Amino acid sequence: MYKRVATDLQWLNAPRVDDVYALSGCVSKNFADYIAFWKHNGYWLFDSPSMIRALAVEHAISLDGAKLFYYEAHDLEYDSNSGSWFPFAPDPAFETNVEAPGAATLEGFDITTFHAGTSPECSPLSCNGLAADVATNEHCLIPTFEAAILALESGRFDNSEPGPCRVIAVYSVNDA
């Protein structure tokens, strides 16, 4: 996903956070309101950067200043109401053939809500300001997978946004 990374975050009350690399498009906006084009895959994202670039050209959408990310979801999602983990799969209505990038840098882990079960909704670390109380890195991400699991299971995300929640590995991708 190409995103316009937010850096004006005084409202977040988390001085260690310089920018937001979240999967959610609430704070760092997606390159476009892409769902309306119906070119996404079963994860409601894209299979490759070339698909996004082609869509941008077709619809005259500038990618100038946008940063490319690769997101990888843990294979289970967490339901805080039951305190349980459940498997999920891509939406079978859409073809899904994700191409992992050849070179990417792991930046940390986001926790994203999927109440509707389709597209990513909110990332409570940024959307709800939980980064003020949950340990994050400079990109508003939890540094380790284990810490993200613990934050969910210990109730740190309860009452922030309707779930379930997925742990998302966030990679920055050099687009050169």
Side-chain angles (χ1 to χ4, degrees):
M1 177 64 69
Y2 280 94
K3 298 186 82 67
R4 307 213 184 279
V5 176
T7 58
D8 183 12
L9 305 169
Q10 296 169 346
W11 57 270
L12 189 57
N13 197 29
R16 71 193 162 286
V17 175
D18 297 331
D19 48 29
V20 174
Y21 284 10
L23 173 58
S24 155
C26 298
V27 176
S28 289
K29 302 297 181 191
N30 297 324
F31 73 98
D33 184 12
Y34 66 91
I35 292 175
F37 300 123
W38 295 102
K39 300 283 185 177
H40 55 274
N41 64 23
Y43 292 109
W44 291 62
L45 297 169
F46 293 91
D47 287 334
S48 69
S50 62
M51 292 179 77
I52 300 170
R53 288 190 292 269
L55 186 67
V57 167
E58 179 182 347
H59 296 280
I61 299 167
S62 174
L63 296 176
D64 290 345
K67 184 168 179 57
L68 181 60
F69 293 95
Y70 174 71
Y71 297 101
E72 189 174 78
H74 178 49
D75 58 351
L76 301 174
E77 60 186 14
Y78 186 73
D79 175 43
S80 62
N81 293 326
S82 67
S84 301
W85 291 91
F86 297 97
F88 70 92
D91 185 335
F94 299 95
E95 186 174 335
T96 302
N97 295 303
V98 177
E99 297 174 19
T105 302
L106 178 62
E107 302 290 356
F109 296 85
D110 191 20
I111 294 176
T112 307
T113 60
F114 286 82
H115 182 68
T118 55
S119 60
E121 292 159 358
C122 292
S123 295
L125 288 168
S126 53
C127 298
N128 298 100
L130 293 186
D133 298 318
V134 174
T136 64
N137 63 20
E138 69 273 18
H139 305 302
C140 203
L141 301 171
I142 297 174
T144 68
F145 176 75
E146 294 78 14
I149 296 294
L150 180 61
L152 277 170
E153 291 179 344
S154 67
R156 303 296 297 272
F157 286 74
D158 292 359
N159 304 312
S160 61
E161 291 286 338
C165 293
R166 297 179 189 169
V167 176
I168 309 293
V170 178
Y171 296 84
S172 59
V173 179
N174 184 349
D175 196 25

